[in-house]
Amino acid sequence: MLGSGKGSNFVALAEAIRSEKISAEIVLVASDRAEAKILAHARERELPVYQCRRSAFQTKLEPEIEEELAGALAKAGVELVVLAGYMRVLKKPLLDRFCGRIINIHPSLLPSFPGLKAWEQAFKARVTQTGCTVHWVNETVDGGAVIRQAKVNVQPGDTAESLHARIQEAEHRLLPEVIRDLATGKIEWREDPRRR
Ligand code: GRF
């Protein structure tokens, strides 16, 4: 699992596995940011963690740093790479090595509101319904084929923050469900999402 932030989706997934709702194993938790809470949560659970070397960029990794990350994931025996709040665009090292085996969770009903702070974009656009999406990852930002979505209604009195909180609750259900269904074969795996 790969993340740059607070790791609430990691916690939801780890809990679903612990309570045996999902038959899966988190073999490595990786982050591009040393201070990311996701790493602390993983350490608390005594799961293996990997921290990328410092990058000069904000939105991508240098090819050699991404190559090291891809190598660490491969060495750990990763079958599925799960991005949850990983804030960098994936490039060839990861996309080539894990082609068709990388998913991401995004806080909107894609293709609406790709990019940053999608809940705020939706709130400002005054939509009545938004949600979250799990999709296959390709080289476009939030652009790979949709696997499954969960809808969240905008309620009277909502703020962008209260909406975000409900979207995150929906994420914490959706992501483990998708991983469960990939693990059981109910959702078909992609060979090459970049061909779409
Ligand atoms: C989630 O809202 C996800 O949709 C987005 O980044 C956030 C990560 O949250 N891509 P967390 O680190 O799992 O709490």
Side-chain angles (χ1 to χ4, degrees), residues 27 72-80:
V27 293
L73 292 167
K75 196 170 160 213
V78 163
E79 292 173 18
L80 178 72

Side-chain angles (χ1 to χ4, degrees), residues 2-194:
L2 211 47
S4 316
K6 64 182 195 286
S8 67
N9 280 285
F10 160 75
V11 171
L13 181 60
E15 285 305 308
I17 292 171
R18 194 187 55 80
S19 60
E20 297 182 357
K21 289 188 188 128
I22 302 180
S23 172
E25 187 187 355
I26 300 174
V27 293
L28 190 66
V29 179
S31 183
D32 56 320
R33 292 178 53 220
E35 69 282 14
K37 285 260 168 48
I38 189 171
L39 291 180
H41 285 306
R43 289 192 182 103
E44 268 168 31
R45 287 168 173 75
E46 298 183 351
L47 288 171
V49 299
Y50 177 87
Q51 191 191 310
C52 297
R53 273 198 291 138
R54 203 178 166 77
S55 169
F57 304 117
Q58 290 288 337
T59 58
K60 62 175 183 176
L61 291 175
E62 288 81 347
E64 60 277 16
I65 298 182
E66 192 174 301
E67 191 66 57
E68 288 169 9
L69 171 59
L73 292 167
K75 196 170 160 213
V78 163
E79 292 173 18
L80 178 72
V81 179
V82 179
L83 309 186
Y86 181 69
M87 298 304 285
R88 298 180 195 251
V89 180
L90 299 198
K91 300 288 180 188
K92 271 179 83 64
L94 277 168
L95 290 171
D96 284 352
R97 181 105 62 136
F98 294 98
C99 184
R101 294 188 285 145
I102 309 176
I103 62 172
N104 178 46
I105 181 138
H106 180 79
S108 76
L109 297 175
L110 290 171
S112 297
F113 311 117
L116 295 176
K117 295 196 172 178
W119 66 91
E120 198 174 284
Q121 296 183 48
F123 186 76
K124 285 184 176 161
R126 296 175 181 275
V127 295
T128 55
Q129 192 172 60
T130 179
C132 51
T133 302
V134 177
H135 64 94
W136 294 106
V137 171
N138 61 18
E139 66 285 349
T140 62
V141 175
D142 305 324
V146 169
I147 300 173
R148 198 177 285 172
Q149 298 183 309
K151 292 176 180 158
V152 173
N153 291 327
V154 181
Q155 291 173 359
D158 253 340
T159 60
E161 290 67 37
S162 63
L163 180 60
H164 184 209
R166 287 208 311 291
I167 292 171
Q168 283 234 292
E169 285 171 17
E171 289 185 341
H172 300 159
R173 290 188 294 272
L174 182 67
L175 185 64
E177 273 171 26
V178 167
I179 292 170
R180 178 197 64 201
D181 290 349
L182 280 164
T184 58
K186 193 170 168 193
I187 295 176
E188 209 176 313
W189 289 60
R190 265 296 155 83
E191 278 308 308
D192 187 353
R194 291 173 301 162

